[in-house]
Amino acid sequence: DIRMPKNGDFVSSPFTAEAAISGSEDIVRIQTIMNGMIVMDEQIPPTKSYVYRSVVTAPLSMQNKFSIKAYSQKGETTSEIIIFGR
C-alpha cells in the first residue's frame, strides 16, 4: 500500500516515498519504478512485513507513473501503481 505520495497528488523533486508492504511469503527485494525506469532496487532481510521509505530524486514530468514492486523469496511479485503530477 503506497502511503506517500497518494494517487493524484502534486509533488516536487526530491520527494519521500513510503509504502507498507506485507505478504504471506517473506519479502526480499523492493524496486521503485518511475515513468518506466528503475530508480531504486534494494535487497532487504527476509520479512513478511516491511515499511519502505526513501527519498526519490529522479526528475519529474508533468504526469508521473510511480510503482513500488516487492519480490518474495520464491520470486513472486506484487506491485502498486499510482499517478501523480508536479
Side-chain angles (χ1 to χ4, degrees):
D1 181 38
I2 298 177
R3 296 177 178 169
M4 290 191 312
K6 295 283 190 190
N7 199 40
D9 277 356
F10 288 89
V11 301
S12 57
S13 185
F15 66 93
T16 300
E18 183 177 306
I21 303 164
S22 61
S24 58
E25 299 294 328
D26 281 345
I27 302 158
V28 295
R29 181 177 166 205
I30 308 290
Q31 277 186 336
T32 302
I33 303 162
M34 195 162 77
N35 299 326
M37 295 179 58
I38 297 170
V39 294
M40 191 278 308
D41 193 347
E42 179 180 348
Q43 303 292 324
I44 62 170
T47 184
K48 289 191 178 13
S49 181
Y50 184 74
V51 175
Y52 164 80
R53 191 173 295 115
S54 180
V55 174
V56 179
T57 59
L60 299 175
S61 300
M62 291 299 290
Q63 186 172 348
N64 301 276
K65 181 178 176 182
F66 182 76
S67 173
I68 295 178
K69 187 173 189 177
Y71 294 81
S72 76
Q73 274 185 317
K74 293 183 177 180
E76 298 164 341
T77 64
T78 186
S79 64
E80 182 178 359
I81 299 170
I82 64 166
I83 305 293
F84 63 86
R86 72 167 160 95

